[in-house]
């Protein structure tokens, strides 16, 4: 049997033909994920039924998605979903696409707070809600608040909360601005931390993500600095601040925490071996 020709778009392709056409243009994984999305079928079906014909509407929809992927749009936006910590999160271009390295923040939060009853938790810059909702679902009876400055992002996070059955309080505001007088045992954040002139912002999938969720001043530290400076007013004694940051910012963030009076300051490496999360305990005024 000869491989279907991939250069010309076939007339009425079957699954194998459509995939061969797409694989000549985009990564094979992306070709499969997009086809599964169009056909709304489980992964095994593409393998078990390569001879299944696509109807005209599906083939048209698939070609459009492949072309958008060729133009650089992230797969997560094209299918409207990305997995994080084992759950599917709705995503739109109003929110950053959840990253696997952010799962480290979750693991650390669970390690520190997994055994505390009803911890009060704050997620700053929640975006899709990946951090806040995961903690609400993983921690026992946690009281979780999620803040974002973007109303569009909060709509996405709320839709995810409804979909996943997570109970979280949502607040629209800039970092701590709407949290006057409120204190938490854990404050977690994956704030913008890329330097504004970082060429990475103009490359690949990142171009399609909200710049306000990525860029933070000349050295990428503006928001991290702001959060560390304010956090002590919103942490209970012995509460923790856990911050995700860029690959070369761990020492700078440890310095910020030291200057602000935190103790037990530590950086943790992600799966790629890069120091990705730095945290500290607020000793309080005792
Ligand atoms: N890790 C992301 C990136 O480099 C940045 C996420 C962020 O700024 N919080 O694309």
């Amino acid at each position: 049997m000869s491989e279907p020709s991939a250069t010309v778009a076939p007339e009425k392709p079957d699954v194998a033909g459509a995939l061969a056409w797409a694989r000549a243009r985009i990564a094979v994984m992306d070709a499969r994920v997009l086809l599964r999305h169009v056909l709304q079928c489980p992964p095994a079906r593409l393998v078990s039924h390569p001879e299944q014909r696509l109807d005209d509407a599906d083939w048209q929809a698939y070609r459009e998605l492949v072309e958008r992927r060729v133009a650089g749009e992230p797969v997560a936006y094209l299918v409207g979903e990305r997995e994080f910590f084992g759950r599917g999160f709705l995503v739109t271009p109003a929110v950053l696409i959840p990253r696997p390295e952010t799962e480290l923040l979750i693991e650390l939060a669970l390690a520190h707070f997994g055994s505390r009853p009803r911890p009060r938790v704050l997620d700053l810059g929640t975006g899709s809600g990946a951090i806040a909702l995961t903690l609400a679902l993983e921690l026992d009876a946690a009281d979780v608040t999620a803040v974002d400055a973007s109303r569009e992002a909060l709509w996405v996070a709320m839709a995810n909360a409804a979909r996943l059955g997570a109970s979280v309080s949502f607040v629209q505001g800039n970092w701590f601005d709407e949290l006057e007088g409120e204190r938490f045992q854990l404050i977690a954040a994956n704030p913008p931390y890329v330097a504004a002139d970082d060429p990475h912002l103009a490359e690949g999938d990142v171009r399609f993500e909200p710049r306000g969720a990525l860029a933070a001043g000349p050295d990428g530290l503006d928001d991290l600095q702001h959060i560390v400076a304010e956090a002590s007013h919103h942490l209970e004694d012995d509460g923790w601040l856990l911050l995700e940051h860029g690959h070369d910012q761990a020492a700078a963030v440890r310095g910020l925490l030291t200057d602000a009076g935190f103790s037990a300051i530590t950086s943790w490496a992600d799966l790629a071996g890069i120091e990705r999360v730095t945290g500290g305990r607020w000793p309080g005024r005792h």
Side-chain angles (χ1 to χ4, degrees):
M1 199 176 80
S2 65
E3 273 281 300
S5 161
T7 41
V8 186
E11 271 298 312
K12 284 189 181 298
D14 55 17
V15 160
L19 282 175
W21 172 80
R23 275 166 47 191
R25 287 159 181 79
I26 61 175
V28 58
M29 266 306 292
D30 295 353
R32 294 185 156 276
V33 170
L34 294 176
L35 189 54
R36 258 166 44 207
H37 176 67
V38 168
L39 299 178
Q40 292 288 306
C41 70
R45 178 132 189 120
L46 297 185
V47 180
S48 63
H49 290 78
E51 77 297 342
Q52 185 190 324
R53 295 266 148 216
L54 272 66
D55 66 31
D56 289 345
D58 286 348
W59 177 223
Q60 168 85 19
Y62 187 53
R63 279 192 306 185
E64 280 171 20
L65 287 175
V66 170
E67 295 306 344
R68 285 170 66 186
R69 181 67 194 130
V70 169
E73 277 187 68
V75 171
Y77 290 154
L78 294 175
V79 303
E81 190 174 334
R82 171 55 46 97
E83 192 190 299
F84 180 79
F85 216 81
R87 296 182 181 88
F89 282 79
L90 303 171
V91 292
T92 75
V95 301
L96 197 77
I97 298 164
R99 311 278 205 266
E101 58 265 30
T102 304
E103 294 184 345
L104 172 63
L105 196 62
I106 302 294
E107 277 157 15
L108 293 167
L110 298 182
H112 281 90
F113 290 89
S115 56
R116 289 209 205 178
R118 269 193 82 73
R120 283 208 81 201
V121 176
L122 173 64
D123 173 25
L124 290 171
T126 198
S128 65
I131 294 171
L133 306 190
T134 302
L135 291 179
L137 292 164
E138 296 287 334
L139 288 168
D140 187 31
D143 177 358
V144 180
T145 300
V147 171
D148 207 288
S150 155
R151 180 189 299 263
E152 288 72 27
L154 285 175
W155 281 117
V156 176
M158 284 189 243
N160 279 319
R163 196 170 178 234
L164 295 171
S167 166
V168 168
S169 308
F170 294 98
V171 176
Q172 189 185 0
N174 200 24
W175 305 130
F176 296 104
D177 285 2
E178 307 302 320
L179 301 171
E180 187 72 44
E182 295 210 44
R183 288 190 183 263
F184 302 86
Q185 283 155 340
L186 168 64
I187 300 175
N190 173 19
Y193 54 67
V194 181
D197 65 354
D198 188 327
H200 166 69
L201 291 172
E203 290 163 12
D205 291 17
V206 178
R207 283 174 300 156
F208 292 85
E209 294 187 282
R211 210 181 161 80
L214 287 159
D219 52 9
L221 288 169
D222 280 14
D223 292 300
L224 287 161
Q225 235 153 15
H226 180 85
I227 291 168
V228 173
E230 298 284 309
S232 65
H233 304 299
H234 297 278
L235 280 168
E236 306 266 10
D237 291 359
D238 295 324
W240 273 82
L241 175 60
L242 290 174
L243 296 166
E244 181 176 322
H245 51 70
H247 64 95
D248 54 359
Q249 293 171 330
V253 176
R254 286 195 299 269
L256 293 172
L257 290 168
T258 307
D259 293 347
F262 280 81
S263 60
I265 298 164
T266 314
S267 296
W268 291 271
D270 63 18
L271 289 174
I274 295 165
E275 285 184 323
R276 181 60 68 186
V277 174
T278 294
R281 185 162 49 80
W282 176 244
R285 305 245 172 247
H286 40 225

